[in-house]
Amino acid sequence: GRLFLCGAGTSGRLAVMEASECPPTFSTPPQMIQGIMAGAPQASWEAVEGAEDNQAAGIEAAQARQLNSNDFVIGISASGRTPYVLGFLSYARQVGAGTAFLVASPPKEKVSDFLIFPKTGPEVVTGSTRLKAGTAAKMVLNMITTTAMVQIGKVYGNWMVDVHPTNEKLVARAARIVSEITGCPIDQATSLVLQTKNPKVAIVMYLKQVSQETALRLLDQHHGQLRALFEKPA
């Protein structure tokens, strides 16, 4: 299934940012984790009047993405009553998708399967929910996506072994990860990363002393899980 993060204003920007950072960090396909923002793309850099108050638009956005029971939706709203987000959530529940509501002020009625309510208290600048509420929401979204990536094998130990090496910085990071896990020299790790474009494949090639094709097949057999491939069950 897919994970949808839906919000308006600051919450929408956090949703889009969280989703956009997963593909380079974990090599997830763009459709796996999607950020939905009321009034996007214009609302990304300036206010779009009335966008967050349009519940029907939230429903339409959910319908357009063909939500189904395999998907999960996290609505984000500091106030706990943003109509656009409530619309998106209502359609998600209608089709049997899992739902959670990340808020700084809980809604009066149940609108999701789970309620996530960090108790941040009043803002230093009254009403400016981009401050404590926004920071807390960002941290919670980090926790959720990172934990999910750990569980599906995108992390090994504390290394992000599915980082997508698309620039010099990320190539160097991937090479360090390969070198630290396998113990191979950094220059050899760099060569393997440049060859495979995938730290996981490079790790399997070195530790199993196999070809790239065989490494890919082994990973496929173990559902991309290095832990399952290398660690014997107790």
Side-chain angles (χ1 to χ4, degrees):
R2 301 164 295 172
L3 172 63
F4 292 91
L5 311 173
C6 178
T10 296
S11 297
R13 293 182 189 94
L14 290 172
V16 171
M17 179 169 61
E18 189 69 30
S20 66
E21 290 181 344
C22 288
T25 306
F26 300 111
S27 291
T28 54
Q31 67 270 21
M32 179 183 283
I33 302 175
Q34 299 183 34
I36 312 299
M37 181 182 185
Q42 184 181 350
S44 299
W45 59 84
E46 66 180 13
V48 175
E49 294 298 327
E52 69 176 62
D53 297 328
N54 192 337
Q55 186 163 342
I59 296 172
E60 290 170 6
Q63 291 173 329
R65 287 158 180 83
Q66 299 181 325
L67 293 187
N68 61 69
S69 58
N70 290 325
D71 297 325
F72 198 96
V73 171
I74 300 177
I76 313 163
S77 168
S79 68
R81 51 186 172 80
T82 306
Y84 182 93
V85 178
L86 293 174
F88 202 98
L89 282 170
S90 69
Y91 185 79
R93 298 185 79 192
Q94 182 181 327
V95 298
T99 55
F101 203 18
L102 171 54
V103 301
S105 178
K108 294 180 180 179
E109 300 177 358
K110 182 177 180 179
V111 298
S112 61
D113 301 319
F114 303 98
L115 181 67
I116 307 172
F117 174 33
K119 297 180 181 179
T120 56
E123 296 289 356
V124 175
V125 178
T126 301
S128 185
T129 52
R130 70 183 183 85
L131 301 175
K132 288 197 291 184
T135 300
K138 169 63 174 166
M139 293 173 68
V140 169
L141 293 174
N142 282 169
M143 294 174 200
I144 291 170
T145 58
T146 302
T147 303
M149 294 301 103
V150 170
Q151 291 187 333
I152 64 174
K154 299 287 187 179
V155 176
Y156 181 70
N158 68 330
W159 293 286
M160 50 184 195
V161 288
D162 255 331
V163 63
H164 195 38
T166 53
N167 57 42
E168 288 185 11
K169 178 189 74 174
L170 294 179
V171 167
R173 181 176 298 164
R176 286 196 302 274
I177 289 169
V178 172
S179 179
E180 289 174 9
I181 291 175
T182 65
C184 77
I186 191 68
D187 57 342
Q188 187 174 359
T190 301
S191 296
L192 285 168
V193 167
L194 291 173
Q195 175 188 338
T196 62
K197 310 297 183 187
N198 186 319
K200 269 188 188 174
V201 176
I203 290 164
V204 176
M205 285 177 66
Y206 185 84
L207 290 179
K208 294 287 187 181
Q209 290 297 293
V210 295
S211 67
Q212 184 171 340
E213 182 180 358
T214 300
L216 284 165
R217 188 173 67 251
L218 286 170
L219 281 167
D220 185 59
Q221 289 171 356
H222 292 82
H223 308 291
Q225 297 264 2
L226 287 179
R227 191 171 295 106
L229 202 163
F230 289 121
E231 298 177 9
K232 294 180 180 179

